[in-house]
Amino acid sequence: MAGPPRLTDATHPGEPGGRATIIDVATAAGVSRQTVTRAMNGMTGISAATKERVLAVAEQLRYRPSRFGRGLVTGGDHQLGLVVNDLRNPYTPQLAASVFQLAAEQGWNVMLADVDLASDPDRMVAALGAQTDVVIGYFGDRRERWNDLLGTVPMVELDPSSDPPTAAVWIDPSDGIEVLADHLVATGVRHPVVLDNSSPEHTSVRGVLMTDALRRRGYLPDVVHAPHGTAECGAEETVRILGRKRRLDAILAFNDVMALGVLQACRRAGVDVPGDVRVVGVDGLPLGALVSPQLTTLAVDLDEVAREALDLALGMLAGELPRNGPTVQRTVRHRLLLRESA
């Protein structure tokens, strides 16, 4: 007996990216969409033979029904997958708290995956996709592979480093950096240092924006490359910077966590902040207001980041937005938050 018919082309017409849809399964099995829904959800009203045929076609076409659709049928809660890098970084739980809070307001549950601490990140992401309606988070250079692993599950990438193949929320510090550079000029800074979290061969996007803004204002900033974005690494690199005995009156750190390490190293070395050296971080973490001197930072509203990501997720799941392209791109910008350290 001949098996279920196959789609002759690798690209399925109902879904971008070559993924089978419920329409493809219904057409190949010779049934209605409602029958496919009943078969996939184990509902009554169809014969055992029809159910078996539909499930065989679905397996052959590698069709994965949307959990969003199943939730509408079965009354289940919607599930959001959140991919983060490292829960030991204070930025990460701050972001997660914003996502959890806003998701709860929408009646969603959130499943969290820390891929940097996982023994098998690919397996973790695949498992997350099997249990959620949509996945948002930081994907880095693994986004193409994870897009394939997630199949029909929509993705929303946070802060991509380049044009993403999926929906995305850009977190853009460029405007805030320009305001900061003007502030440094106005306060008489002459010898700034950019403390970047990067390798010497690959300055981060944030580091490039900082150095470019400073150079356009006549500065010749040193760029120090730190391998980790931690407070410990920030402190260690600051000790080295201070030990060079070069003229120095400002340190612009890659993030707030590194800037806290800068403050610690300056205090231990007897360097007055901001009298001798101004210190600036990036992210706007609440921790920055709890230290002395309070940390000047380029702050980003993580509630807004979460709100934009969830808005995109809801739009895609409701069929009101596509899975990629300019209409599913959002931007959240940093702002200069002046405190005591600068």
Side-chain angles (χ1 to χ4, degrees), residues 88-274:
R88 296 169 298 186
N89 184 333
Y91 174 88
T92 302
Q94 195 71 33
L95 170 68
S98 294
V99 172
F100 271 76
Q101 179 179 351
L102 291 174
E105 292 174 3
Q106 298 284 347
W108 285 57
N109 296 322
V110 180
M111 301 184 68
L112 180 69
D114 187 335
V115 292
D116 276 13
L117 300 180
S119 59
D120 189 344
D122 289 354
R123 182 178 179 182
M124 175 176 280
V125 169
L128 190 68
Q131 302 173 70
T132 58
D133 302 301
V134 64
V135 173
I136 70 173
Y138 287 85
F139 307 135
D141 58 7
R142 295 173 286 197
R143 65 186 185 186
E144 302 281 356
R145 183 165 74 252
W146 288 350
N147 192 27
D148 291 337
L149 284 176
L150 291 173
T152 60
V153 180
M155 291 170 58
V156 181
E157 184 172 5
L158 300 180
D159 201 19
S161 58
S162 59
D163 288 337
T166 64
V169 178
W170 301 83
I171 305 176
D172 183 5
S174 57
D175 289 351
I177 287 172
E178 295 295 324
V179 175
L180 170 62
D182 286 338
H183 173 72
L184 296 178
V185 172
T187 52
V189 167
R190 294 291 180 267
H191 307 288
V193 171
V194 174
L195 178 55
D196 197 28
N197 175 206
S198 63
S199 67
E201 298 79 20
H202 299 95
T203 302
S204 73
V205 172
R206 192 175 292 178
V208 169
L209 289 170
M210 287 181 176
T211 54
D212 284 351
L214 294 172
R215 286 170 180 160
R216 280 187 274 105
R217 288 161 176 81
Y219 291 109
L220 295 174
D222 285 339
V223 180
V224 176
H225 300 274
H228 306 291
T230 62
E232 293 79 9
C233 201
E236 291 170 3
E237 294 300 333
T238 301
V239 170
R240 296 189 182 97
I241 293 169
L242 295 174
R244 296 174 183 175
K245 305 300 181 183
R246 296 181 181 178
R247 290 179 296 178
L248 166 69
D249 55 9
I251 298 178
L252 281 58
F254 175 82
N255 61 22
D256 283 353
V257 177
M258 294 183 75
L260 294 177
V262 174
L263 290 177
Q264 180 190 63
C266 287
R267 182 173 61 253
R268 289 180 174 177
V271 174
D272 180 62
V273 177

